[in-house]
Amino acid sequence: RHYLDLLTVTFQNPGPYSAFLMLGEVIGLAWMQEVEKNWQKHIIMGTTGLMFVLLPATWSRAAFISFGIVGLWMFRKSYWPWRWFVWAVCIVMCVLFYFIKQGSADGRILIWLSALTTWLHYPWTGVGIGGFLHASAIGVAELYARNPSNLLFSSGGVTDYAFNDLLKVLVEQGIIGMLLCIIMVGYMLFLLWQHSKPLFYGMLSLLIFSMFSYPFELLPYRIIFVMVAAWVASVHSQQSDSRVR
């Protein structure tokens, strides 16, 4: 019952809730490919279908793009003979998403460019944890001094989030911190691929979503990610111990 947005649930705007719906859709579609009993497929299909109905109400481009990328890979065998047509349609849709809410997209581009401008002064170690917003503000000043007529400034606003969690790691912790982050997350995805395909696709979609939004700056998604990482590490450790014995 938000006075500005149609559907937010317990979040302050539809963006974070769209990540939850997208996560459920991806996991549901991947899960349906693994279950064998029809009644199980029907339950999963009904729940996933409800999420498909709700997702458009959030009008989240990040959720649409993330779901599209993972879906294209997940069902690549089904559309492969028509892949060029399908990919062309997806590219056109991405361009339309940009122009439909161009001001919002340009605002995020300005945040990214300004933060990277400051990061270039500290490429290896970054500006320090918690320093992204300050780095973005300093970068805006530097960009404005170079080119005050840049049209991106007309879309600038208050920087509440980075809208790209990997970029935030790079700016705050530098190349070293970003490489460590990629290695750890990559290893977690590798283990998920071995032990749970649905969770693999779900976490992959959430990571793609984080390239355009801010899920890991919110506690619910941090809890989800940490719990999944802990689960797969535990399962992998138990299986490794059983092989040794």
Side-chain angles (χ1 to χ4, degrees):
R1 298 180 179 179
H2 198 279
Y3 76 101
L4 288 177
D5 301 304
L6 179 64
L7 193 65
T8 65
V9 195
T10 57
F11 296 98
Q12 294 182 354
N13 64 70
Y17 180 53
S18 69
F20 175 77
L21 293 173
M22 176 209 65
L23 190 62
E25 291 173 3
V26 171
I27 292 176
L29 290 175
W31 197 7
M32 278 192 294
Q33 299 180 39
E34 295 192 353
V35 297
E36 297 179 356
K37 298 181 180 179
N38 288 331
W39 67 269
Q40 293 176 328
K41 290 186 177 181
H42 291 156
I43 293 176
I44 299 171
M45 188 181 301
T47 308
T48 307
L50 178 60
M51 294 180 184
F52 271 109
V53 173
L54 293 175
L55 184 61
T58 65
W59 195 236
S60 171
R61 295 162 301 174
F64 295 153
I65 292 174
S66 303
F67 177 82
I69 292 174
V70 176
L72 286 174
W73 173 257
M74 196 184 307
F75 299 103
R76 62 192 182 279
K77 294 181 180 179
S78 302
Y79 70 85
W80 195 251
W82 307 279
R83 59 189 181 279
W84 297 112
F85 173 76
V86 173
W87 294 345
V89 171
C90 291
I91 292 173
V92 171
M93 290 182 64
C94 288
V95 174
L96 290 176
F97 284 152
Y98 169 76
F99 284 107
I100 289 173
K101 297 176 70 175
Q102 183 177 354
S104 173
D106 288 345
R108 297 184 187 191
I109 294 173
L110 177 61
I111 292 171
W112 300 340
L113 290 177
S114 59
L116 286 173
T117 300
T118 305
W119 165 77
L120 288 174
H121 301 300
Y122 317 93
W124 290 103
T125 57
V127 300
I129 295 176
F132 182 91
L133 300 184
H134 179 70
S136 181
I138 298 299
V140 167
E142 187 173 338
L143 289 175
Y144 187 81
R146 295 178 186 173
N147 183 15
S149 61
N150 193 323
L151 296 178
L152 288 177
F153 293 121
S154 62
S155 302
V158 178
T159 308
D160 295 324
Y161 302 105
F163 293 100
N164 188 316
D165 288 329
L166 183 61
L167 179 65
K168 182 180 180 182
V169 174
L170 173 64
V171 172
E172 292 187 352
Q173 303 179 43
I175 296 175
I176 297 174
M178 185 190 69
L179 289 177
L180 290 173
C181 177
I182 291 174
I183 291 171
M184 288 188 293
V185 173
Y187 184 61
M188 186 198 78
L189 290 175
F190 172 73
L191 295 181
L192 282 174
W193 178 260
Q194 292 182 324
H195 299 289
S196 175
K197 295 294 194 303
L199 284 179
F200 166 81
Y201 285 118
M203 291 300 101
L204 180 61
S205 67
L206 190 58
L207 287 168
I208 297 173
F209 185 91
S210 71
M211 297 295 101
F212 309 98
S213 191
Y214 50 92
F216 297 122
E217 296 191 48
L218 302 176
L219 182 60
Y221 294 105
R222 291 178 180 176
I223 293 174
I224 290 174
F225 198 80
V226 170
M227 291 295 291
V228 171
W231 173 82
V232 74
S234 175
V235 171
H236 182 71
S237 177
Q238 291 176 0
Q239 290 190 0
S240 299
D241 291 342
S242 64
R243 292 194 193 101
V244 173
R245 293 174 185 174

